[in-house]
Amino acid sequence: MISREKRAAASAAASPYAHLTYQHRLNFYDEPPRYNITLDEFESCAIDRLRILSEIESCLARNRSPEDMKTVIDAQCRKFLPLDANTASKLVDVDAQRKRDHLGHFVLRLAFCRSEELRRRFVKSETMLFRIRYELADQNEVNQFLESKKFAWEKASNGELQSLKSELIAVHPRLPWPENGSPPAYYKVNWTSVPDLVAQRKVLLRLGKAYVPATEQESIVLQEFQERIESNLDRTAKALPRLDEDDRILPILGHLADGLLAGIPMDSSFAVTEGDGVTITADMIEDLSRKHFPLCMRNLHDNLRKDKHLKHAGRLQYTLFLKGFGLTLDEAIVFWRKSYRGGKVKDDDFNKEYKYNIRHSYGQEGKRADYPPMNCARIITSQQPSAQESHGCPFKHFSIENLDTALLTKYGSCGMNSSALPEINKYVKDGHYHVACTRVYEITHNIRKGEGLGGGESVTHPNLYARRSMDAAKVLIKAETAPVDPSAMVEG
């Protein structure tokens, strides 16, 4: 009798894809990468994967249906972490795709093994990602992958199934059982391997074994995947102290962990400028802030108008946002000159106290760096503002009472009402601040729940929020001013 290992080896040797380093799209990540990489690869692969995991967390927090989640995550994967089948065009380097996927997983494993909370969230998101990929994969591809693994389950014999026929039918009454033929396929596994099926009473239990129909095979595979990830995370956590002296890697891992806790990746690739022919001037900011700014920037703007001043952290956050929004340096200087002390600050005082910092933010002073607008992850993980400061994320840094008041005051005319507050507060209490902000966008823009900024996209950057809001307004204006087609009119 040929062993499972020999059959798997023979199958691999006979496979037309034996030349590939990664022969399967699906991966249990049992073996770490064993090749040299650059620090740029180390970070970029992890950030791309973090985008996917963060979107999964967002979908789960918003209770999206399994089919909606599958659609959203598949689209995100195609954009940031594509994994084509072996039958894809020869122009596609499937090995390179799978290498990035493999590397990204292990970098995030290093980042998220350091606390129970991080491990729990990482395992949950990774298991969901594997599930989506498993369900979207071709059945032949799935079978080939499963054949290559060593699972602690066995296929129940026909004789054994016949002896348990009445009990199996009682558990699975809708499963076809032919009168004169082989019974349906069942697998025998330790009952601890399928706790979800046991809880739902979807399996027959005998002598510590669960009889799982082939139609429920996915549950066994997912539980196996989850257990292996949990075990490997524990081992990684024990090995992590060896990296304590590597000052190149630890800061990257810390930023990635902050990104997961914030719900979004810690990079600045979401900075959005107008760049479409629209010129933003200082005089337009007041009106645009009421219509298109997210709560964090609306709070900064309103406090600037009220106090005629912002502390340094607030000025920096707001200046960079306006820069990303499309306000030029010259217009930014005009805006801040009018805003400070009601426009009554002397030129010498303004130039000495404020103008240098504005020019510095635009890369015109100091080391002339092109500072990007702050994304949500950076704002959320920033230092708690004091009583005199206005920076930060209101969803994280405001009390629930102050948050509710701010939402009703600033967005009451846009559809926000008290009935929406309990849902938003729940997201805040669960730590899903970007989901709360996304829900505010949906309500104030009269968008169906779950659509987010469009196609289910969550808020990940204040500039992205503002840009999507302006785009939506342009579409609405265009629709309202479109000429009427006489042929579409029907006489009453």
mmCIF file of all heavy atoms in Angstrom, residues 29-74:
data_model
loop_
_atom_site.group_PDB
_atom_site.id
_atom_site.type_symbol
_atom_site.label_atom_id
_atom_site.label_comp_id
_atom_site.label_asym_id
_atom_site.label_seq_id
_atom_site.Cartn_x
_atom_site.Cartn_y
_atom_site.Cartn_z
ATOM 1 N N TYR A 29 1.551 28.327 5.507
ATOM 2 C CA TYR A 29 2.671 29.090 6.067
ATOM 3 C C TYR A 29 3.402 28.308 7.155
ATOM 4 O O TYR A 29 3.754 28.850 8.212
ATOM 5 C CB TYR A 29 2.174 30.438 6.613
ATOM 6 C CG TYR A 29 1.355 31.210 5.602
ATOM 7 C CD1 TYR A 29 -0.043 31.265 5.702
ATOM 8 C CD2 TYR A 29 1.959 31.858 4.533
ATOM 9 C CE1 TYR A 29 -0.806 31.946 4.769
ATOM 10 C CE2 TYR A 29 1.200 32.548 3.592
ATOM 11 C CZ TYR A 29 -0.186 32.582 3.722
ATOM 12 O OH TYR A 29 -0.946 33.255 2.791
ATOM 13 N N ASP A 30 3.648 27.023 6.876
ATOM 14 C CA ASP A 30 4.371 26.186 7.836
ATOM 15 C C ASP A 30 5.873 26.459 7.808
ATOM 16 O O ASP A 30 6.546 26.331 8.827
ATOM 17 C CB ASP A 30 4.116 24.701 7.536
ATOM 18 C CG ASP A 30 2.676 24.307 7.814
ATOM 19 O OD1 ASP A 30 2.126 24.780 8.820
ATOM 20 O OD2 ASP A 30 2.102 23.532 7.023
ATOM 21 N N GLU A 31 6.392 26.834 6.632
ATOM 22 C CA GLU A 31 7.830 27.046 6.480
ATOM 23 C C GLU A 31 8.117 28.530 6.283
ATOM 24 O O GLU A 31 7.487 29.186 5.454
ATOM 25 C CB GLU A 31 8.366 26.258 5.284
ATOM 26 C CG GLU A 31 8.277 24.752 5.439
ATOM 27 C CD GLU A 31 9.184 24.238 6.543
ATOM 28 O OE1 GLU A 31 10.259 24.852 6.750
ATOM 29 O OE2 GLU A 31 8.829 23.246 7.191
ATOM 30 N N PRO A 32 9.072 29.093 7.033
ATOM 31 C CA PRO A 32 9.402 30.521 6.859
ATOM 32 C C PRO A 32 10.183 30.753 5.577
ATOM 33 O O PRO A 32 10.762 29.818 5.009
ATOM 34 C CB PRO A 32 10.273 30.811 8.091
ATOM 35 C CG PRO A 32 10.904 29.487 8.412
ATOM 36 C CD PRO A 32 9.869 28.447 8.078
ATOM 37 N N PRO A 33 10.206 31.980 5.079
ATOM 38 C CA PRO A 33 11.016 32.292 3.885
ATOM 39 C C PRO A 33 12.493 32.057 4.173
ATOM 40 O O PRO A 33 12.974 32.402 5.244
ATOM 41 C CB PRO A 33 10.731 33.779 3.646
ATOM 42 C CG PRO A 33 9.483 34.074 4.409
ATOM 43 C CD PRO A 33 9.473 33.144 5.578
ATOM 44 N N ARG A 34 13.175 31.500 3.216
ATOM 45 C CA ARG A 34 14.607 31.202 3.399
ATOM 46 C C ARG A 34 15.412 31.831 2.257
ATOM 47 O O ARG A 34 16.050 31.149 1.466
ATOM 48 C CB ARG A 34 14.845 29.694 3.460
ATOM 49 C CG ARG A 34 14.071 29.016 4.601
ATOM 50 C CD ARG A 34 14.388 27.535 4.718
ATOM 51 N NE ARG A 34 13.547 26.875 5.700
ATOM 52 C CZ ARG A 34 13.749 26.881 7.014
ATOM 53 N NH1 ARG A 34 14.807 27.524 7.491
ATOM 54 N NH2 ARG A 34 12.923 26.259 7.836
ATOM 55 N N TYR A 35 15.348 33.134 2.157
ATOM 56 C CA TYR A 35 16.093 33.850 1.119
ATOM 57 C C TYR A 35 16.340 35.271 1.611
ATOM 58 O O TYR A 35 15.712 35.747 2.565
ATOM 59 C CB TYR A 35 15.322 33.869 -0.203
ATOM 60 C CG TYR A 35 13.849 34.153 -0.062
ATOM 61 C CD1 TYR A 35 13.368 35.450 0.126
ATOM 62 C CD2 TYR A 35 12.917 33.112 -0.112
ATOM 63 C CE1 TYR A 35 12.025 35.707 0.271
ATOM 64 C CE2 TYR A 35 11.559 33.358 0.028
ATOM 65 C CZ TYR A 35 11.123 34.662 0.210
ATOM 66 O OH TYR A 35 9.784 34.917 0.351
ATOM 67 N N ASN A 36 17.286 35.940 0.975
ATOM 68 C CA ASN A 36 17.633 37.302 1.357
ATOM 69 C C ASN A 36 16.631 38.287 0.765
ATOM 70 O O ASN A 36 16.180 38.137 -0.371
ATOM 71 C CB ASN A 36 19.043 37.653 0.875
ATOM 72 C CG ASN A 36 20.105 36.817 1.559
ATOM 73 O OD1 ASN A 36 19.960 36.451 2.731
ATOM 74 N ND2 ASN A 36 21.179 36.508 0.840
ATOM 75 N N ILE A 37 16.306 39.308 1.551
ATOM 76 C CA ILE A 37 15.396 40.348 1.074
ATOM 77 C C ILE A 37 15.925 41.702 1.514
ATOM 78 O O ILE A 37 16.764 41.794 2.414
ATOM 79 C CB ILE A 37 13.966 40.164 1.645
ATOM 80 C CG1 ILE A 37 14.002 40.149 3.179
ATOM 81 C CG2 ILE A 37 13.312 38.926 1.098
ATOM 82 C CD1 ILE A 37 12.644 40.226 3.821
ATOM 83 N N THR A 38 15.428 42.752 0.878
ATOM 84 C CA THR A 38 15.787 44.105 1.280
ATOM 85 C C THR A 38 14.789 44.599 2.335
ATOM 86 O O THR A 38 13.696 44.040 2.483
ATOM 87 C CB THR A 38 15.760 45.066 0.083
ATOM 88 O OG1 THR A 38 14.408 45.164 -0.405
ATOM 89 C CG2 THR A 38 16.659 44.555 -1.038
ATOM 90 N N LEU A 39 15.164 45.661 3.046
ATOM 91 C CA LEU A 39 14.248 46.238 4.023
ATOM 92 C C LEU A 39 13.001 46.798 3.345
ATOM 93 O O LEU A 39 11.909 46.764 3.909
ATOM 94 C CB LEU A 39 14.944 47.350 4.815
ATOM 95 C CG LEU A 39 15.782 46.905 6.017
ATOM 96 C CD1 LEU A 39 16.448 48.114 6.656
ATOM 97 C CD2 LEU A 39 14.947 46.157 7.035
ATOM 98 N N ASP A 40 13.167 47.301 2.116
ATOM 99 C CA ASP A 40 12.000 47.810 1.383
ATOM 100 C C ASP A 40 11.007 46.690 1.103
ATOM 101 O O ASP A 40 9.794 46.871 1.257
ATOM 102 C CB ASP A 40 12.441 48.453 0.063
ATOM 103 C CG ASP A 40 13.089 49.806 0.278
ATOM 104 O OD1 ASP A 40 12.890 50.383 1.364
ATOM 105 O OD2 ASP A 40 13.790 50.288 -0.634
ATOM 106 N N GLU A 41 11.513 45.529 0.675
ATOM 107 C CA GLU A 41 10.623 44.379 0.455
ATOM 108 C C GLU A 41 9.974 43.951 1.763
ATOM 109 O O GLU A 41 8.785 43.626 1.798
ATOM 110 C CB GLU A 41 11.430 43.204 -0.120
ATOM 111 C CG GLU A 41 11.831 43.327 -1.563
ATOM 112 C CD GLU A 41 12.616 42.102 -2.012
ATOM 113 O OE1 GLU A 41 13.760 41.919 -1.552
ATOM 114 O OE2 GLU A 41 12.075 41.320 -2.822
ATOM 115 N N PHE A 42 10.775 43.919 2.811
ATOM 116 C CA PHE A 42 10.286 43.513 4.131
ATOM 117 C C PHE A 42 9.064 44.341 4.538
ATOM 118 O O PHE A 42 8.054 43.810 4.998
ATOM 119 C CB PHE A 42 11.428 43.704 5.143
ATOM 120 C CG PHE A 42 11.131 43.250 6.536
ATOM 121 C CD1 PHE A 42 11.407 41.944 6.932
ATOM 122 C CD2 PHE A 42 10.593 44.124 7.472
ATOM 123 C CE1 PHE A 42 11.159 41.527 8.229
ATOM 124 C CE2 PHE A 42 10.341 43.717 8.773
ATOM 125 C CZ PHE A 42 10.622 42.407 9.149
ATOM 126 N N GLU A 43 9.161 45.650 4.331
ATOM 127 C CA GLU A 43 8.081 46.539 4.766
ATOM 128 C C GLU A 43 6.931 46.578 3.767
ATOM 129 O O GLU A 43 5.756 46.538 4.150
ATOM 130 C CB GLU A 43 8.628 47.945 4.984
ATOM 131 C CG GLU A 43 7.601 48.902 5.570
ATOM 132 C CD GLU A 43 8.217 50.227 5.973
ATOM 133 O OE1 GLU A 43 9.324 50.543 5.499
ATOM 134 O OE2 GLU A 43 7.580 50.952 6.760
ATOM 135 N N SER A 44 7.234 46.663 2.480
ATOM 136 C CA SER A 44 6.171 46.824 1.487
ATOM 137 C C SER A 44 5.269 45.602 1.409
ATOM 138 O O SER A 44 4.041 45.730 1.275
ATOM 139 C CB SER A 44 6.771 47.127 0.107
ATOM 140 O OG SER A 44 7.516 46.018 -0.389
ATOM 141 N N CYS A 45 5.850 44.410 1.497
ATOM 142 C CA CYS A 45 5.025 43.193 1.471
ATOM 143 C C CYS A 45 4.089 43.149 2.673
ATOM 144 O O CYS A 45 2.923 42.740 2.556
ATOM 145 C CB CYS A 45 5.918 41.950 1.469
ATOM 146 S SG CYS A 45 6.831 41.686 -0.057
ATOM 147 N N ALA A 46 4.597 43.574 3.830
ATOM 148 C CA ALA A 46 3.777 43.564 5.039
ATOM 149 C C ALA A 46 2.662 44.596 4.962
ATOM 150 O O ALA A 46 1.517 44.325 5.360
ATOM 151 C CB ALA A 46 4.655 43.822 6.252
ATOM 152 N N ILE A 47 2.953 45.785 4.427
ATOM 153 C CA ILE A 47 1.933 46.831 4.330
ATOM 154 C C ILE A 47 0.816 46.419 3.380
ATOM 155 O O ILE A 47 -0.373 46.634 3.662
ATOM 156 C CB ILE A 47 2.574 48.160 3.884
ATOM 157 C CG1 ILE A 47 3.408 48.745 5.026
ATOM 158 C CG2 ILE A 47 1.512 49.162 3.446
ATOM 159 C CD1 ILE A 47 4.177 49.992 4.653
ATOM 160 N N ASP A 48 1.178 45.814 2.260
ATOM 161 C CA ASP A 48 0.146 45.354 1.317
ATOM 162 C C ASP A 48 -0.766 44.320 1.971
ATOM 163 O O ASP A 48 -1.982 44.335 1.780
ATOM 164 C CB ASP A 48 0.798 44.755 0.066
ATOM 165 C CG ASP A 48 1.352 45.826 -0.855
ATOM 166 O OD1 ASP A 48 0.948 46.999 -0.703
ATOM 167 O OD2 ASP A 48 2.190 45.510 -1.721
ATOM 168 N N ARG A 49 -0.180 43.420 2.741
ATOM 169 C CA ARG A 49 -1.006 42.404 3.415
ATOM 170 C C ARG A 49 -1.832 43.028 4.532
ATOM 171 O O ARG A 49 -2.986 42.645 4.747
ATOM 172 C CB ARG A 49 -0.116 41.293 3.974
ATOM 173 C CG ARG A 49 -0.917 40.068 4.442
ATOM 174 C CD ARG A 49 -0.029 38.958 4.941
ATOM 175 N NE ARG A 49 -0.785 37.717 5.061
ATOM 176 C CZ ARG A 49 -0.969 36.850 4.078
ATOM 177 N NH1 ARG A 49 -0.434 37.092 2.881
ATOM 178 N NH2 ARG A 49 -1.683 35.752 4.257
ATOM 179 N N LEU A 50 -1.246 44.002 5.226
ATOM 180 C CA LEU A 50 -1.967 44.664 6.308
ATOM 181 C C LEU A 50 -3.202 45.379 5.788
ATOM 182 O O LEU A 50 -4.226 45.448 6.467
ATOM 183 C CB LEU A 50 -1.033 45.647 7.022
ATOM 184 C CG LEU A 50 -1.623 46.382 8.233
ATOM 185 C CD1 LEU A 50 -2.145 45.396 9.270
ATOM 186 C CD2 LEU A 50 -0.580 47.302 8.841
ATOM 187 N N ARG A 51 -3.114 45.925 4.582
ATOM 188 C CA ARG A 51 -4.304 46.550 3.977
ATOM 189 C C ARG A 51 -5.455 45.548 3.895
ATOM 190 O O ARG A 51 -6.606 45.875 4.191
ATOM 191 C CB ARG A 51 -3.972 47.059 2.578
ATOM 192 C CG ARG A 51 -3.095 48.293 2.524
ATOM 193 C CD ARG A 51 -3.060 48.848 1.106
ATOM 194 N NE ARG A 51 -2.308 50.075 1.029
ATOM 195 C CZ ARG A 51 -1.082 50.167 0.529
ATOM 196 N NH1 ARG A 51 -0.475 49.103 0.083
ATOM 197 N NH2 ARG A 51 -0.474 51.330 0.475
ATOM 198 N N ILE A 52 -5.133 44.328 3.497
ATOM 199 C CA ILE A 52 -6.173 43.302 3.336
ATOM 200 C C ILE A 52 -6.738 42.919 4.708
ATOM 201 O O ILE A 52 -7.958 42.848 4.894
ATOM 202 C CB ILE A 52 -5.599 42.055 2.641
ATOM 203 C CG1 ILE A 52 -4.876 42.435 1.339
ATOM 204 C CG2 ILE A 52 -6.704 41.050 2.368
ATOM 205 C CD1 ILE A 52 -5.721 43.135 0.326
ATOM 206 N N LEU A 53 -5.864 42.652 5.666
ATOM 207 C CA LEU A 53 -6.329 42.247 6.992
ATOM 208 C C LEU A 53 -7.141 43.355 7.659
ATOM 209 O O LEU A 53 -8.133 43.078 8.350
ATOM 210 C CB LEU A 53 -5.137 41.865 7.875
ATOM 211 C CG LEU A 53 -4.251 40.711 7.384
ATOM 212 C CD1 LEU A 53 -3.267 40.303 8.481
ATOM 213 C CD2 LEU A 53 -5.078 39.510 6.949
ATOM 214 N N SER A 54 -6.742 44.605 7.460
ATOM 215 C CA SER A 54 -7.481 45.717 8.042
ATOM 216 C C SER A 54 -8.870 45.826 7.418
ATOM 217 O O SER A 54 -9.850 46.122 8.105
ATOM 218 C CB SER A 54 -6.720 47.027 7.836
ATOM 219 O OG SER A 54 -5.481 47.000 8.512
ATOM 220 N N GLU A 55 -8.970 45.573 6.125
ATOM 221 C CA GLU A 55 -10.271 45.618 5.456
ATOM 222 C C GLU A 55 -11.163 44.479 5.943
ATOM 223 O O GLU A 55 -12.379 44.640 6.074
ATOM 224 C CB GLU A 55 -10.083 45.532 3.939
ATOM 225 C CG GLU A 55 -11.337 45.866 3.146
ATOM 226 C CD GLU A 55 -11.817 47.291 3.390
ATOM 227 O OE1 GLU A 55 -10.992 48.225 3.386
ATOM 228 O OE2 GLU A 55 -13.036 47.468 3.601
ATOM 229 N N ILE A 56 -10.563 43.328 6.221
ATOM 230 C CA ILE A 56 -11.333 42.212 6.780
ATOM 231 C C ILE A 56 -11.894 42.597 8.148
ATOM 232 O O ILE A 56 -13.068 42.351 8.438
ATOM 233 C CB ILE A 56 -10.442 40.953 6.886
ATOM 234 C CG1 ILE A 56 -10.166 40.384 5.488
ATOM 235 C CG2 ILE A 56 -11.106 39.888 7.768
ATOM 236 C CD1 ILE A 56 -9.182 39.235 5.466
ATOM 237 N N GLU A 57 -11.051 43.199 8.997
ATOM 238 C CA GLU A 57 -11.532 43.641 10.306
ATOM 239 C C GLU A 57 -12.669 44.649 10.164
ATOM 240 O O GLU A 57 -13.652 44.621 10.910
ATOM 241 C CB GLU A 57 -10.386 44.267 11.103
ATOM 242 C CG GLU A 57 -9.450 43.250 11.731
ATOM 243 C CD GLU A 57 -8.801 43.792 12.996
ATOM 244 O OE1 GLU A 57 -8.612 45.029 13.080
ATOM 245 O OE2 GLU A 57 -8.503 43.002 13.904
ATOM 246 N N SER A 58 -12.540 45.535 9.193
ATOM 247 C CA SER A 58 -13.578 46.534 8.960
ATOM 248 C C SER A 58 -14.881 45.869 8.543
ATOM 249 O O SER A 58 -15.958 46.220 9.032
ATOM 250 C CB SER A 58 -13.119 47.518 7.880
ATOM 251 O OG SER A 58 -14.144 48.436 7.565
ATOM 252 N N CYS A 59 -14.800 44.900 7.650
ATOM 253 C CA CYS A 59 -16.000 44.181 7.193
ATOM 254 C C CYS A 59 -16.662 43.431 8.351
ATOM 255 O O CYS A 59 -17.892 43.417 8.471
ATOM 256 C CB CYS A 59 -15.642 43.202 6.082
ATOM 257 S SG CYS A 59 -15.242 43.976 4.498
ATOM 258 N N LEU A 60 -15.857 42.805 9.193
ATOM 259 C CA LEU A 60 -16.406 42.070 10.331
ATOM 260 C C LEU A 60 -17.074 43.029 11.316
ATOM 261 O O LEU A 60 -18.145 42.739 11.852
ATOM 262 C CB LEU A 60 -15.297 41.283 11.031
ATOM 263 C CG LEU A 60 -14.712 40.095 10.247
ATOM 264 C CD1 LEU A 60 -13.489 39.529 10.960
ATOM 265 C CD2 LEU A 60 -15.759 38.999 10.051
ATOM 266 N N ALA A 61 -16.438 44.168 11.553
ATOM 267 C CA ALA A 61 -17.004 45.142 12.491
ATOM 268 C C ALA A 61 -18.319 45.699 11.976
ATOM 269 O O ALA A 61 -19.216 46.023 12.757
ATOM 270 C CB ALA A 61 -16.009 46.275 12.723
ATOM 271 N N ARG A 62 -18.454 45.799 10.657
ATOM 272 C CA ARG A 62 -19.660 46.367 10.066
ATOM 273 C C ARG A 62 -20.701 45.296 9.741
ATOM 274 O O ARG A 62 -21.719 45.582 9.118
ATOM 275 C CB ARG A 62 -19.287 47.141 8.799
ATOM 276 C CG ARG A 62 -18.404 48.341 9.086
ATOM 277 C CD ARG A 62 -17.643 48.822 7.884
ATOM 278 N NE ARG A 62 -18.507 49.455 6.905
ATOM 279 C CZ ARG A 62 -18.086 49.892 5.724
ATOM 280 N NH1 ARG A 62 -16.812 49.754 5.401
ATOM 281 N NH2 ARG A 62 -18.911 50.464 4.888
ATOM 282 N N ASN A 63 -20.422 44.050 10.159
ATOM 283 C CA ASN A 63 -21.371 42.948 9.964
ATOM 284 C C ASN A 63 -21.784 42.778 8.504
ATOM 285 O O ASN A 63 -22.964 42.574 8.193
ATOM 286 C CB ASN A 63 -22.621 43.156 10.828
ATOM 287 C CG ASN A 63 -22.329 43.066 12.302
ATOM 288 O OD1 ASN A 63 -21.560 42.211 12.743
ATOM 289 N ND2 ASN A 63 -22.914 43.964 13.079
ATOM 290 N N ARG A 64 -20.815 42.866 7.624
ATOM 291 C CA ARG A 64 -21.116 42.651 6.206
ATOM 292 C C ARG A 64 -21.419 41.180 5.973
ATOM 293 O O ARG A 64 -20.873 40.297 6.642
ATOM 294 C CB ARG A 64 -19.944 43.094 5.343
ATOM 295 C CG ARG A 64 -19.569 44.549 5.521
ATOM 296 C CD ARG A 64 -18.762 45.050 4.360
ATOM 297 N NE ARG A 64 -19.559 45.059 3.137
ATOM 298 C CZ ARG A 64 -19.378 45.926 2.155
ATOM 299 N NH1 ARG A 64 -18.448 46.836 2.244
ATOM 300 N NH2 ARG A 64 -20.111 45.870 1.068
ATOM 301 N N SER A 65 -22.285 40.913 5.021
ATOM 302 C CA SER A 65 -22.646 39.531 4.716
ATOM 303 C C SER A 65 -21.432 38.798 4.159
ATOM 304 O O SER A 65 -20.522 39.427 3.597
ATOM 305 C CB SER A 65 -23.786 39.489 3.702
ATOM 306 O OG SER A 65 -23.337 39.945 2.435
ATOM 307 N N PRO A 66 -21.398 37.462 4.284
ATOM 308 C CA PRO A 66 -20.253 36.706 3.749
ATOM 309 C C PRO A 66 -20.000 36.969 2.266
ATOM 310 O O PRO A 66 -18.839 37.079 1.845
ATOM 311 C CB PRO A 66 -20.664 35.247 4.006
ATOM 312 C CG PRO A 66 -21.571 35.308 5.188
ATOM 313 C CD PRO A 66 -22.326 36.591 5.037
ATOM 314 N N GLU A 67 -21.067 37.073 1.481
ATOM 315 C CA GLU A 67 -20.891 37.306 0.051
ATOM 316 C C GLU A 67 -20.352 38.699 -0.217
ATOM 317 O O GLU A 67 -19.493 38.886 -1.083
ATOM 318 C CB GLU A 67 -22.220 37.102 -0.686
ATOM 319 C CG GLU A 67 -22.633 35.646 -0.808
ATOM 320 C CD GLU A 67 -21.537 34.784 -1.455
ATOM 321 O OE1 GLU A 67 -20.992 35.204 -2.502
ATOM 322 O OE2 GLU A 67 -21.222 33.715 -0.906
ATOM 323 N N ASP A 68 -20.856 39.706 0.511
ATOM 324 C CA ASP A 68 -20.337 41.067 0.348
ATOM 325 C C ASP A 68 -18.868 41.131 0.740
ATOM 326 O O ASP A 68 -18.047 41.754 0.054
ATOM 327 C CB ASP A 68 -21.135 42.050 1.213
ATOM 328 C CG ASP A 68 -22.472 42.426 0.585
ATOM 329 O OD1 ASP A 68 -22.676 42.082 -0.594
ATOM 330 O OD2 ASP A 68 -23.307 43.040 1.272
ATOM 331 N N MET A 69 -18.542 40.482 1.852
ATOM 332 C CA MET A 69 -17.160 40.479 2.304
ATOM 333 C C MET A 69 -16.259 39.805 1.274
ATOM 334 O O MET A 69 -15.163 40.301 0.976
ATOM 335 C CB MET A 69 -17.031 39.767 3.653
ATOM 336 C CG MET A 69 -15.608 39.798 4.206
ATOM 337 S SD MET A 69 -15.377 38.846 5.723
ATOM 338 C CE MET A 69 -16.445 39.759 6.826
ATOM 339 N N LYS A 70 -16.723 38.707 0.738
ATOM 340 C CA LYS A 70 -15.923 37.994 -0.258
ATOM 341 C C LYS A 70 -15.651 38.889 -1.471
ATOM 342 O O LYS A 70 -14.532 38.930 -2.000
ATOM 343 C CB LYS A 70 -16.659 36.723 -0.691
ATOM 344 C CG LYS A 70 -15.797 35.757 -1.493
ATOM 345 C CD LYS A 70 -16.594 34.557 -1.968
ATOM 346 C CE LYS A 70 -17.175 33.771 -0.816
ATOM 347 N NZ LYS A 70 -17.878 32.548 -1.289
ATOM 348 N N THR A 71 -16.660 39.633 -1.897
ATOM 349 C CA THR A 71 -16.507 40.520 -3.051
ATOM 350 C C THR A 71 -15.519 41.637 -2.760
ATOM 351 O O THR A 71 -14.630 41.938 -3.569
ATOM 352 C CB THR A 71 -17.871 41.126 -3.439
ATOM 353 O OG1 THR A 71 -18.781 40.075 -3.765
ATOM 354 C CG2 THR A 71 -17.729 42.056 -4.637
ATOM 355 N N VAL A 72 -15.656 42.262 -1.577
ATOM 356 C CA VAL A 72 -14.781 43.379 -1.204
ATOM 357 C C VAL A 72 -13.334 42.919 -1.048
ATOM 358 O O VAL A 72 -12.409 43.540 -1.591
ATOM 359 C CB VAL A 72 -15.271 44.034 0.108
ATOM 360 C CG1 VAL A 72 -14.241 45.029 0.633
ATOM 361 C CG2 VAL A 72 -16.605 44.727 -0.112
ATOM 362 N N ILE A 73 -13.137 41.822 -0.337
ATOM 363 C CA ILE A 73 -11.768 41.359 -0.073
ATOM 364 C C ILE A 73 -11.110 40.836 -1.347
ATOM 365 O O ILE A 73 -9.908 41.033 -1.561
ATOM 366 C CB ILE A 73 -11.767 40.276 1.028
ATOM 367 C CG1 ILE A 73 -12.346 40.847 2.327
ATOM 368 C CG2 ILE A 73 -10.350 39.764 1.272
ATOM 369 C CD1 ILE A 73 -11.683 42.117 2.815
ATOM 370 N N ASP A 74 -11.878 40.181 -2.198
ATOM 371 C CA ASP A 74 -11.315 39.714 -3.460
ATOM 372 C C ASP A 74 -10.831 40.894 -4.293
ATOM 373 O O ASP A 74 -9.742 40.846 -4.895
ATOM 374 C CB ASP A 74 -12.365 38.912 -4.233
ATOM 375 C CG ASP A 74 -11.813 38.318 -5.535
ATOM 376 O OD1 ASP A 74 -10.684 37.773 -5.502
ATOM 377 O OD2 ASP A 74 -12.486 38.409 -6.569
#
